[in-house]
Amino acid sequence: MLYFIIFIALLVFVGYVFYKMNSKKAERFPSHWHSILLEEVKFYKNLDLKEQRRFQDRMMQFLSEVYIDSVDVELVELDKILIAASAVIPVFAFKEWYYPTVSGIILYPDNFNEDFEFSHKSKSRRIAGVVGTGRLEGKMILSKKALYHGFKNSNDKRNTAIHEFVHLIDKMDDKIDGVPEILLENSYAIPWLKLVHDEMEAINKDKSDIRAYGGTKQSEFFAVASEYFFENPKLMKRKHPELYKMMASCFRVKV
């Protein structure tokens, strides 16, 4: 497994270097975005000035690497700010990071169904975000309503955009399976799986405050737990100390 992780890391590094050589230069961070981030993004607000500047640079680099478009909703400045912040937050501790499995973000006005229908006449509009596959490979679709809600309410431990970017991190080893091999040290893989299964069992027995969706699949548990970790870390540390410790180790940060 160690050799596999080294291979994946090397592959990501080579891909990142190649992309940097061929990507457009990041634009300058708009100065007025600083006050917006302070108002809207708690993670950014808690950083010191030096780290805030690094966060700004990472946002602009991300925005130079992907395109953001919208369907039936006007794309505004805050949309781009919140999407870029969502991309940076889970990988901020990593000095160099490139998302090789996404090239574009598509913003819908509201939740949508499996046929990507979002009008009020559409049935079963339960999906707030998805990492595309098949004809949508390389795309991420987000509900604008869910995107904004994720940064307005940290008490519910939900952030759809962070959830989907964590899926992209999980996908770095070519499969979304809840075992982020690029983040986990070799010795942590087995303890991580045991912890995941124990926590999922608690969720499904209604003995956990982790969102029920985290009990549906191993991959969803990792994404849901990541939302919790970045949205309300103090609560996770108190209620799920082992999980908090493991998440902090994965993301190499204590929030």
Side-chain angles (χ1 to χ4, degrees):
M1 185 175 178
L2 177 59
Y3 293 109
F4 179 73
I5 294 172
I6 293 172
F7 172 75
I8 291 295
L10 182 61
L11 191 64
V12 170
F13 175 74
V14 171
Y16 176 79
V17 171
F18 178 80
Y19 191 88
K20 289 277 281 186
M21 291 173 64
N22 292 278
S23 63
K24 63 182 181 179
K25 186 178 180 180
E27 297 180 5
R28 186 184 297 273
F29 178 82
S31 59
H32 67 281
W33 283 16
H34 173 66
S35 58
I36 297 173
L37 284 165
L38 289 176
E39 179 70 24
E40 301 288 343
V41 182
K42 185 178 178 182
F43 184 94
Y44 178 85
K45 184 178 180 180
N46 289 338
L47 298 173
D48 61 34
L49 191 58
K50 181 180 179 181
E51 290 294 87
Q52 285 177 352
R53 291 197 185 103
R54 191 166 71 84
F55 193 96
Q56 296 167 9
D57 291 342
R58 295 288 294 277
M59 281 181 60
M60 301 313 293
Q61 185 61 46
F62 173 79
L63 290 172
S64 76
E65 294 169 352
V66 302
Y67 70 84
I68 299 175
D69 205 349
S70 62
V71 176
D72 278 10
V73 63
E74 181 185 2
L75 190 65
V76 299
E77 192 174 55
L78 184 57
D79 300 338
K80 295 180 180 181
I81 293 171
L82 295 183
I83 290 171
S86 303
V88 172
I89 286 170
V91 294
F92 185 61
F94 299 84
K95 291 186 177 181
E96 297 286 354
W97 187 273
Y98 159 56
Y99 286 101
T101 56
V102 67
S103 58
I105 315 290
I106 303 171
L107 201 62
Y108 277 18
D110 207 336
N111 288 9
F112 48 94
N113 61 24
E114 292 181 354
D115 295 319
F116 302 100
E117 298 170 336
F118 53 82
S119 73
H120 292 295
K121 295 180 181 179
S122 303
K123 296 180 179 179
S124 304
R125 295 182 297 112
R126 296 189 298 266
I127 305 173
V130 67
V131 172
T133 57
R135 63 186 176 85
L136 290 174
E137 184 69 36
K139 308 294 187 297
M140 178 191 293
I141 300 176
L142 291 173
S143 155
K144 180 168 181 171
K145 182 178 179 180
L147 172 68
Y148 279 54
H149 178 82
F151 287 94
K152 289 296 183 185
N153 186 351
S154 61
N155 291 328
D156 66 355
K157 308 179 288 288
R158 298 183 67 165
N159 188 304
T160 295
I162 288 178
H163 180 110
E164 298 306 326
F165 278 107
V166 166
H167 277 323
L168 288 181
I169 296 168
D170 191 6
K171 195 178 181 181
M172 296 286 277
D173 57 3
D174 290 330
K175 55 187 180 297
I176 302 177
D177 59 359
V179 185
E181 295 182 9
I182 198 166
L183 302 184
L184 285 170
E185 294 182 15
N186 190 43
S187 59
Y188 283 164
I190 293 176
W192 167 253
L193 286 171
K194 182 181 185 307
L195 182 59
V196 168
H197 293 156
D198 288 347
E199 293 284 357
M200 287 179 69
E201 184 178 359
I203 292 171
N204 292 322
K205 289 182 177 179
D206 201 23
K207 295 181 178 180
S208 175
D209 69 327
I210 298 174
R211 185 156 60 98
Y213 190 47
T216 59
K217 289 192 294 187
Q218 199 171 270
S219 58
E220 295 303 341
F221 176 83
F222 176 51
V224 166
S226 298
E227 292 179 77
Y228 192 152
F229 177 73
F230 287 108
E231 286 286 291
N232 204 328
K234 291 182 179 178
L235 185 63
M236 175 179 273
K237 189 174 184 179
R238 178 164 59 85
K239 290 200 168 189
H240 308 274
E242 285 187 58
L243 180 60
Y244 172 87
K245 184 178 179 181
M246 188 67 79
M247 299 297 284
S249 177
C250 273
F251 294 112
R252 303 182 191 178
V253 63
K254 292 184 179 181
V255 290

